[in-house]
Amino acid sequence: MLKQALISVSDKTGVVAFAKTLAALGYRLLSTGGTAKLLAEQGLAVTEVAAYTGFPEMLDGRVKTLNPRIHAGLLARRPDPAHMKSLQEHGIDPIDLLVVNLYPFERTVASPDCSFDDAIENIDIGGPAMLRAAAKNHESVAVVVDPGDYPCIAEELKTGGAVGAATRLALAKKVFAHTARYDGAIANYLTALDDKGARGRFPEVLSRQWVKVQQMRYGENPHQHAAFYRERDVAAGLLAGYVQLQGKELSYNNIADADAAWDCVRSFEEPACVIIKHANPCGVAVGGDAAGAYAKAFRTDPTSAFGGIIAFNRAVDGTAAQAVARQFVEVVIAPEFDEAARAVFAAKQNVRLLTLALGDAQNDFDFKRVGGGLLVQTPDVHALKAAELKVVTERAPTPAQLADLMFAWRVARFVKSNTIVFAHDGMTLGVGAGQMSRIDSARIASIKAREAGLTLAGSAAASDAFFPFRDGLDVVVDAGAVCVIQPGGSVRDDEVIAAANERGIAMVFTGVRHFRH
């Protein structure tokens, strides 16, 4: 029986080589428009779909493949005698292989210059209809939507003469996921438009798609089930693009903490190290190199650093690796590990080493699941500049104090609220996180510094949100802070400013808070 392949693609990557393989294997090639022209120019015998169906393309190409000769050829079940008899009666040949990818809707609407008309014209109709038909009938038809699958399909055809059942099912799964994402992108775009055509940030119906990377042994706790999913197109710099070089399988908590560590460390321009424990930084520092930054970060809280997640924004060399290897660590993240570092960690095979490309990409949305619903927001990526600060006290910070304040504020963004961070000379001295009362966070940060043998005399203190009363300010000043950075905005700001002047410290307002729950 004649074997037929219908090829109609927007993304023409690799299609010529694949079509040549099919022709060499005896397939008759059906095609449309630009794809047919390209294949013919490459010397391939191609039958235009319009010639095959006996019905010309019309409506500026909107109607090409929406024809019974195409869809019957895709949907006919080969084992069903009645289906095959019907094809024969109408002179229709089965289509054994469908190669289709769709109009680039997502890429089109991603452009800030995209007009409504451009978006509408890039909604593919015939393509999804064919894909779904072929995927539904995967028992008899192989359907290819991803150019990356051409080589393996070609090899299977060459060696086995046909695409196997397991492969056909896998291809069908990919098709339905692809068309679901495609329709979701259209829904996201259209439902984000208001009645005047202006595009809002949040669609009325939100559709997203992630791909499962890993089934986990358990979630946050052993009685919970869990899996890790990744967006299909992970931007450079985001954690989900990691490559694991060695170590045990990553756990749910490993990934959550690694994300917190990486997000924090990549916010620094200088060589930096971040140590995370239970989603909070327990030590952050900058230094001349990775080893120097690590030494300072570790000093903040050696006890909490035990079993932590460590991230660097510079390549890790042998010196840094030897220092890290002296403690128990779950995960180490860096843009690169040199040969000496790899050799050091090779002796600790359970340590998970992850590499990640540095980049400034951010998630478009942050999500928080609630019972029966979803909270959606843009990520907290505000990078404070010194010029934005407002000095509210009689005493202004010195240049050195300003540097300490900016460092402490940068760290505070990554600490769970309520947050107090003490810092000096490019390192954290004490971190108070996640308390119901800001004054308790201040006390805890002071206690942590004392237990680590660090003095807070001359330090800077950062608060992620305003001080509602002067008592919190008094605690950080009593501990040794000589300057404070906070958002301001309390009804008692005047009271707190007066207290700062009374204590003779410098205080600046940011006008921005960093709640992190």
Side-chain angles (χ1 to χ4, degrees):
M1 182 182 290
L2 174 70
K3 294 182 290 185
Q4 287 198 120
L6 195 163
I7 307 175
S8 180
V9 293
S10 292
D11 179 359
K12 296 177 173 54
T13 304
V15 74
V16 171
F18 187 51
K20 287 182 176 179
T21 298
L22 296 177
L25 292 171
Y27 279 80
R28 179 167 78 177
L29 304 181
L30 306 178
S31 193
T32 62
T35 306
K37 181 180 178 182
L38 172 66
L39 299 182
E41 288 173 348
Q42 296 297 314
L44 289 162
V46 181
T47 301
E48 285 266 9
V49 163
Y52 176 72
T53 62
F55 199 91
E57 291 186 14
M58 61 182 298
L59 305 181
D60 298 320
R62 283 188 172 198
V63 178
K64 290 180 286 194
T65 57
L66 297 170
N67 186 283
R69 287 183 66 84
I70 299 298
H71 285 273
L74 291 170
L75 284 165
R77 296 187 65 236
R78 310 306 192 262
D80 188 327
H83 280 206
M84 300 309 291
K85 181 181 179 183
S86 184
L87 289 188
Q88 187 175 19
E89 288 174 350
H90 293 282
I92 298 173
D93 293 319
I95 297 173
D96 306 284
L97 179 65
L98 179 71
V99 184
V100 167
N101 51 62
L102 307 176
Y103 296 167
F105 181 84
E106 286 185 90
R107 188 172 74 236
T108 299
V109 299
S111 169
D113 299 324
C114 174
S115 69
F116 180 76
D117 287 343
D118 286 340
I120 295 300
E121 286 308 309
N122 275 279
I123 296 176
D124 202 324
I125 302 300
M130 288 191 293
L131 287 172
R132 290 170 61 82
K136 176 178 180 176
N137 197 28
H138 65 271
E139 179 186 29
S140 302
V141 181
V143 53
V144 187
V145 73
D146 180 2
D149 289 327
Y150 295 164
C152 63
I153 300 302
E155 187 61 28
E156 196 162 333
L157 288 171
K158 289 176 184 176
T159 56
V163 180
T167 302
R168 293 196 307 274
L169 177 58
L171 292 171
K173 291 177 181 179
K174 182 176 282 192
V175 162
F176 284 116
H178 183 78
T179 56
R181 173 178 172 172
Y182 193 80
D183 286 340
I186 296 167
N188 285 343
Y189 172 79
L190 290 176
T191 65
L193 301 177
D194 65 18
D195 55 5
K196 294 182 176 60
R199 188 175 179 184
R201 190 183 298 275
F202 300 100
E204 295 297 320
V205 178
L206 179 62
S207 298
R208 309 286 291 192
Q209 191 172 91
W210 289 269
V211 179
K212 187 167 74 172
V213 176
Q214 177 187 339
Q215 186 84 27
M216 295 177 160
R217 288 186 297 132
Y218 55 84
E220 281 187 288
N221 301 291
H223 62 277
Q224 293 174 273
H225 303 289
F228 176 50
Y229 288 79
R230 172 184 290 150
E231 288 186 294
R232 286 192 178 273
D233 302 310
V234 180
L238 298 180
L239 180 85
Y242 73 83
V243 174
Q244 184 167 353
L245 302 180
Q246 72 161 56
K248 296 187 295 184
E249 183 179 86
L250 288 164
S251 72
Y252 183 100
N253 292 328
N254 288 157
I255 291 175
D257 286 349
D259 187 54
W262 182 249
D263 215 20
C264 183
V265 81
R266 73 191 182 105
S267 72
F268 289 92
E269 295 179 3
E270 315 95 316
C273 174
V274 174
I275 305 174
I276 291 282
K277 193 67 174 289
H278 295 297
N280 280 300
C282 61
V284 180
V286 295
D289 55 18
Y294 169 74
K296 292 167 69 177
F298 183 74
R299 285 177 59 203
T300 301
D301 191 351
T303 301
S304 297
F306 181 85
I309 309 291
I310 301 176
F312 296 90
N313 64 354
R314 294 292 192 277
V316 172
D317 59 15
T319 302
Q322 288 172 353
V324 171
R326 296 189 189 105
Q327 72 169 99
F328 170 55
V329 59
E330 292 277 4
V331 181
V332 185
I333 314 166
E336 181 184 350
F337 296 86
D338 71 12
E339 289 187 14
R342 291 292 301 274
V344 170
F345 287 118
K348 293 180 171 286
Q349 278 298 308
N350 285 339
V351 175
R352 304 157 177 91
L353 296 189
L354 309 183
T355 58
L356 268 166
L358 285 169
D360 57 4
Q362 300 289 341
N363 290 328
D364 53 356
F365 295 130
D366 283 343
F367 301 110
K368 182 171 291 186
R369 193 78 165 93
V370 298
L374 187 71
L375 288 169
V376 182
Q377 65 176 352
T378 57
D380 180 6
V381 295
H382 184 271
L384 184 71
K385 296 179 175 59
E388 299 175 53
L389 296 177
K390 180 182 179 182
V391 178
V392 295
T393 49
E394 295 165 359
R395 183 186 296 274
T398 67
Q401 289 171 348
L402 181 61
D404 286 343
L405 289 169
M406 294 295 288
F407 178 89
W409 182 252
R410 181 170 298 196
V411 175
R413 175 156 68 96
F414 299 97
V415 183
K416 300 292 185 181
S417 299
N418 287 314
T419 300
I420 296 291
V421 175
F422 289 98
H424 179 59
D425 192 26
M427 66 175 284
T428 49
L429 301 174
V431 179
Q435 299 304 305
M436 290 70 76
S437 163
R438 192 162 302 279
I439 194 170
D440 288 339
S441 292
R443 288 170 175 155
I444 288 171
S446 301
I447 292 168
K448 299 292 281 184
R450 184 168 62 250
E451 290 180 346
L454 300 172
T455 178
L456 296 180
S459 65
S463 174
D464 66 330
F466 60 66
F467 287 99
F469 303 96
R470 69 167 290 170
D471 53 3
L473 181 80
D474 284 328
V475 170
V476 300
V477 177
D478 288 343
V482 295
C483 52
V484 169
I485 185 169
Q486 60 134 320
S490 168
V491 294
R492 293 186 176 84
D493 275 349
D494 290 344
E495 173 188 322
V496 177
I497 292 169
N501 285 327
E502 176 189 319
R503 302 300 299 269
I505 69 162
M507 186 164 66
V508 298
F509 283 1
T510 65
V512 176
R513 79 176 186 201
H514 285 306
F515 275 167
R516 191 177 183 91
H517 295 116

